Amino acid sequence: MKLSEKIQQLRKEKGLSQEELAEICKVSRQSISKWEADIALPETDRLLLLANTFQVSLDVLLKDELVVNGVKKTGTCGLNAINDAESGIYEGIIIKESLDRDEILDAVSMNKVEIWNAGGDPKYWTAIYFTSSRPDFPELLSGALSGGTDGGEAWFADFKSGNMKYIVFNGLVLRYEIGNLPDKERVCRECEKRGVAKEQMNWPE
């Protein structure tokens, strides 16, 4: 079930009109209509309000295959969630706001969702901790990432598979073996060319 369908179903289950939900979310009724028609997506702060209002978790709202019938899937959420992650070839974090195409979420197992205060525009980022067993996941994610920038820096995602680290941009997949310093420096130079600040390259290995 898509996010648009979930919003409509949960709104009706709560007995709310589009106008009433719009007032809660501090948006226009037309915005609610667009969300439910799958024309536009709610921003992160609005997703928080929706999850609060409907009393469901963010992963229930965001992931298509999770049901909404009053059920919260919270078994894998919490501080130790990453330790209980489903096994997969790849593991890391995706920032939802960096995506042009949300279908990539169908290719991952979502293990934890956090809201980060980015202090900019948008104010909040949605961090999705994931694993994926898709062999072509780096290429899939590369096609789903926004090609735009935020504050002059290109959107990218970093994750790993075994001893290999992946840094993925829109249309570009970079990789290096963890511990191979010359290889990592080559990847970092490519990142610098795309406007990534040095402090943004302190990704975990």
Side-chain angles (χ1 to χ4, degrees), residues 147-164:
T149 61
D150 181 74
E153 296 174 4
W155 282 114
F156 70 90
D158 69 276
F159 53 92
K160 67 178 183 176
S161 174
N163 204 39
M164 293 299 294

Side-chain angles (χ1 to χ4, degrees), residues 49-116:
L49 286 169
L50 289 170
N52 238 9
T53 301
F54 298 144
Q55 296 183 317
V56 297
S57 58
L58 276 173
D59 53 345
V60 166
L61 286 179
L62 293 172
K63 198 160 185 187
D64 289 353
E65 65 265 27
L66 296 185
V67 297
V68 299
N69 296 325
V71 177
K72 285 187 183 181
K73 183 175 180 180
T74 56
T76 57
C77 293
L79 294 175
N80 298 317
I82 201 69
N83 297 324
D84 299 324
E86 295 178 29
S87 60
I89 300 173
Y90 303 100
E91 61 176 330
I93 303 174
I94 299 172
I95 302 299
K96 184 179 182 297
E97 288 70 23
S98 72
L99 300 175
D100 268 345
R101 291 172 28 218
D102 288 342
E103 306 93 84
I104 188 66
L105 297 179
D106 295 331
V108 305
S109 294
M110 200 179 304
N111 304 311
K112 182 170 64 168
V113 177
E114 292 181 345
I115 303 300
W116 294 350

Side-chain angles (χ1 to χ4, degrees), residues 1-173:
M1 183 183 286
K2 290 182 177 180
L3 173 61
S4 55
E5 297 168 324
K6 291 177 183 179
I7 293 172
Q8 185 176 45
Q9 178 180 325
L10 289 164
R11 174 179 63 77
K12 289 179 177 178
E13 286 178 2
K14 284 287 183 182
L16 297 170
S17 66
Q18 286 188 341
E19 289 83 358
E20 288 169 330
L21 184 57
E23 189 174 340
I24 292 170
C25 292
K26 299 177 176 61
V27 296
S28 67
R29 187 202 61 79
Q30 288 80 6
S31 292
I32 303 296
S33 180
K34 287 179 181 178
W35 296 349
E36 293 185 355
D38 204 20
I39 295 171
L41 290 171
E43 294 175 354
T44 304
D45 53 348
R46 302 304 192 265
L47 279 171
L48 285 167
L49 286 169
L50 289 170
N52 238 9
T53 301
F54 298 144
Q55 296 183 317
V56 297
S57 58
L58 276 173
D59 53 345
V60 166
L61 286 179
L62 293 172
K63 198 160 185 187
D64 289 353
E65 65 265 27
L66 296 185
V67 297
V68 299
N69 296 325
V71 177
K72 285 187 183 181
K73 183 175 180 180
T74 56
T76 57
C77 293
L79 294 175
N80 298 317
I82 201 69
N83 297 324
D84 299 324
E86 295 178 29
S87 60
I89 300 173
Y90 303 100
E91 61 176 330
I93 303 174
I94 299 172
I95 302 299
K96 184 179 182 297
E97 288 70 23
S98 72
L99 300 175
D100 268 345
R101 291 172 28 218
D102 288 342
E103 306 93 84
I104 188 66
L105 297 179
D106 295 331
V108 305
S109 294
M110 200 179 304
N111 304 311
K112 182 170 64 168
V113 177
E114 292 181 345
I115 303 300
W116 294 350
N117 190 335
D121 186 20
K123 184 177 180 181
Y124 298 102
W125 287 352
T126 311
I128 300 169
Y129 291 72
F130 74 92
T131 56
S132 178
S133 296
R134 289 284 300 264
D136 58 346
F137 179 74
E139 291 73 24
L140 287 174
L141 181 57
S142 177
L145 280 171
S146 168
T149 61
D150 181 74
E153 296 174 4
W155 282 114
F156 70 90
D158 69 276
F159 53 92
K160 67 178 183 176
S161 174
N163 204 39
M164 293 299 294
K165 186 70 179 182
Y166 288 79
I167 310 297
V168 176
F169 295 85
N170 176 270
L172 178 67
V173 177

